[in-house]
Amino acid sequence: MSSQMYTELSAAPSSGSALELRFAEDTSLTEVMRLRVQSLQRSGQKRQEGERLLLPHEAVYRLDFANQELTFVHWSVSLIGNGRVTVTGISQLWTPDLTHLMTRQLLEPVGTFWRNAGDPEDTPLKCLEADIQEFGERIAELAKVRKVMYFLFAFKEGAEADKVSISVEFNQA
């Protein structure tokens, strides 16, 4: 049974039609990032200065923007059970086959959603509302110059990828 948080913060006036974009795991980019870590471990090399390696509890996700004139409305997040999910945006078009992910490419604020261990499963998810509002607005701004945007999802404290669903709703111009 899934418990869902449906947060609507500073909803933009409805000047266009609604568009819900669901984050999708980019399994090929996640695999490239994991292979980079394995390669460094096998060869005994260290990461480049400022390089951000993928941790075991992380995966790369993406949003594809068919329409680039968007206004942020709200996040929709569901999590089965307890745990913490952190969504971190990546600031520029990034091609891991050509360049390594650098820490300076990570956006702030991040979106963090959680339910504590011991909380009943029907307890709404917690979040830092000001941060997720600002993050959603930032995604809408970056969509103006991109057709795709990448994100790091970190699953902690019992959260697992197959128990989490996250989408963002926008108004289209």
Side-chain angles (χ1 to χ4, degrees), residues 5 7 62 107 140:
M5 177 191 77
T7 303
R62 65 187 286 156
L107 296 176

Side-chain angles (χ1 to χ4, degrees), residues 2-171:
S2 128
S3 175
Q4 180 144 349
M5 177 191 77
Y6 191 72
T7 303
E8 194 163 326
L9 300 168
S10 300
S14 193
S15 59
S17 60
L19 173 67
E20 182 177 10
L21 297 177
R22 186 164 307 283
F23 288 88
E25 183 176 3
D26 192 317
T27 54
S28 61
L29 286 183
T30 299
E31 183 61 22
V32 166
M33 295 280 296
R34 294 203 192 293
L35 290 172
R36 169 75 177 148
V37 172
Q38 291 171 6
S39 171
L40 288 174
Q41 289 171 340
R42 275 195 306 271
S43 67
Q45 293 179 318
K46 294 187 179 197
R47 64 180 172 86
Q48 293 180 359
E49 184 176 334
E51 182 179 1
R52 174 61 162 75
L53 298 175
L54 195 67
L55 299 173
H57 62 277
E58 294 177 326
V60 179
Y61 281 67
R62 65 187 286 156
L63 284 178
D64 292 280
F65 305 106
N67 180 341
Q68 294 177 280
E69 292 298 320
L70 304 172
T71 306
F72 171 71
V73 177
H74 64 83
W75 292 83
S76 181
V77 181
S78 67
L79 168 66
I80 298 172
N82 301 310
R84 177 178 300 267
V85 180
T86 302
V87 181
T88 304
I90 299 172
S91 67
Q92 63 187 36
L93 285 177
W94 160 65
T95 52
D97 53 331
L98 301 175
T99 60
H100 301 303
L101 179 61
M102 306 305 276
T103 55
R104 68 178 176 271
Q105 295 171 306
L106 303 178
L107 296 176
E108 290 184 353
V110 299
T112 303
F113 306 92
W114 72 94
R115 185 178 303 112
N116 294 321
D119 286 350
E121 195 165 316
D122 60 352
T123 301
L125 292 173
K126 296 173 178 78
C127 64
L128 301 175
E129 292 185 9
D131 284 353
I132 65 169
Q133 174 70 27
E134 182 180 340
F135 189 23
E137 291 169 357
R138 190 122 189 237
I139 293 169
E141 278 299 309
L142 290 168
K144 291 178 182 175
V145 295
R146 299 197 185 158
K147 295 216 178 248
V148 65
M149 186 171 172
Y150 295 99
F151 300 83
L152 292 181
F153 274 41
F155 303 97
K156 300 178 184 174
E157 301 171 18
E160 298 174 18
D162 61 345
K163 295 181 179 180
V164 175
S165 175
I166 302 179
S167 62
V168 183
E169 186 172 315
F170 300 96
N171 280 331

